[in-house]
Amino acid sequence: NAGVTQTPKFQVLKTGQSMTLQCAQDMNHNSMYWYRQDPGMGLRLIYYSASEGTTDKGEVPNGYNVSRLNKREFSLRLESAAPSQTSVYFCASRAGTSVSYEQFFGPGTRLTVL
Amino acid sequence: TQLLEQSPQFLSIQEGENLTVYCNSSSVFSSLQWYRQEPGEGPVLLVTVVTGGEVKKLKRLTFQFGDARKDSSLHITAAQPGDTGLYLCAGLPSGSARQLTFGSGTQLTVLP
């Protein structure tokens, strides 16, 4: 099992450019998440998908869109990148909503917006 | 947003020393998890505590959930360089908003 995979690992964009971050999991998990991690701020939830076909906003959704393509894949799109979106982006998945369920994280995408 | 505050933000100690990291909130959580993150990787779950007052041990790491389920601590005994990393607490709020809230993290460096 590969777990949670993310592409690309690194990306540099110019202000105004668009891009899509890809995420896939092979654990048959229902829930998938996109977080951003900035120094001193932990992980902040951007969007999540509790099940295939549903998506919901998290704490910091502005400037992002998501697509739950199927049960395995959950993509994050930046339509017009801004320097404030420079961050490390993590995708995660979780089997269900039980209090003890673990979230499994991908290795992250390091995005720089110039 | 349910706020989780971690302290200290940075900690640098010598091998063999003991340390405690704190995770505090004014909100009640159904459960609390601790993750460890190494450079260039995503966080990995260490433990989940669910019951108020619960204590769990993982080798030299001891995790405690506060009686009121608003706070938690991580104690490491005889720290080793392999313990170096970013430690994150994450709480699952009580009620209908069932998404994890992460603390800001504690960067631990254990010097040989």
Side-chain angles (χ1 to χ4, degrees), chain A residues 42-60:
Chain A
L43 289 157
R44 291 184 293 169
L45 183 63
I46 305 172
Y47 270 94
Y48 66 98
S49 171
S51 61
E52 185 179 354
T54 68
T55 61
D56 285 287
K57 295 179 180 179
E59 180 186 353
V60 288

Side-chain angles (χ1 to χ4, degrees), chain A residues 57-99:
Chain A
K57 295 179 180 179
E59 180 186 353
V60 288
N62 291 345
Y64 305 95
N65 284 301
V66 290
S67 295
R68 183 75 183 265
L69 303 170
N70 47 55
K71 192 170 186 178
R72 290 187 64 249
E73 299 172 288
F74 188 37
S75 63
L76 178 72
R77 182 160 178 84
L78 286 70
E79 290 290 352
S80 179
S84 61
Q85 293 178 305
T86 293
S87 189
V88 183
Y89 291 86
F90 288 98
C91 177
S93 71
R94 195 161 179 239
T97 57
S98 167
V99 297

Side-chain angles (χ1 to χ4, degrees), chain A residues 7 22 27 32-34 51-52 60 70 85 90 92-93 95 101 106 110 114:
Chain A
T7 56
Q22 307 287 353
M27 295 173 283
M32 296 186 73
Y33 307 83
W34 276 105
S51 61
E52 185 179 354
V60 288
N70 47 55
Q85 293 178 305
F90 288 98
S93 71
Y101 280 175
R110 282 140 192 86
L114 304 175

Side-chain angles (χ1 to χ4, degrees), chain A residues 9 33 35 37 39-43 45 48 59 90 94 97-108 110, chain B residues 1 9 30-31 33 35 37 39-45 48 50 86 88 92 98-105:
Chain A
K9 278 188 171 292
Y33 307 83
Y35 293 91
Q37 185 174 38
M41 300 189 75
L43 289 157
L45 183 63
Y48 66 98
E59 180 186 353
F90 288 98
R94 195 161 179 239
T97 57
S98 167
V99 297
S100 60
Y101 280 175
E102 175 180 358
Q103 278 198 7
F104 293 83
F105 287 84
R110 282 140 192 86
Chain B
T1 302
Q9 188 176 358
S30 298
S31 65
Q33 297 179 328
Y35 289 80
Q37 184 180 14
E41 299 181 6
V44 176
L45 181 69
T48 301
V50 179
L86 179 67
L88 295 159
L92 190 66
R98 307 284 287 178
Q99 307 308 324
L100 280 178
T101 296
F102 281 83
S104 54

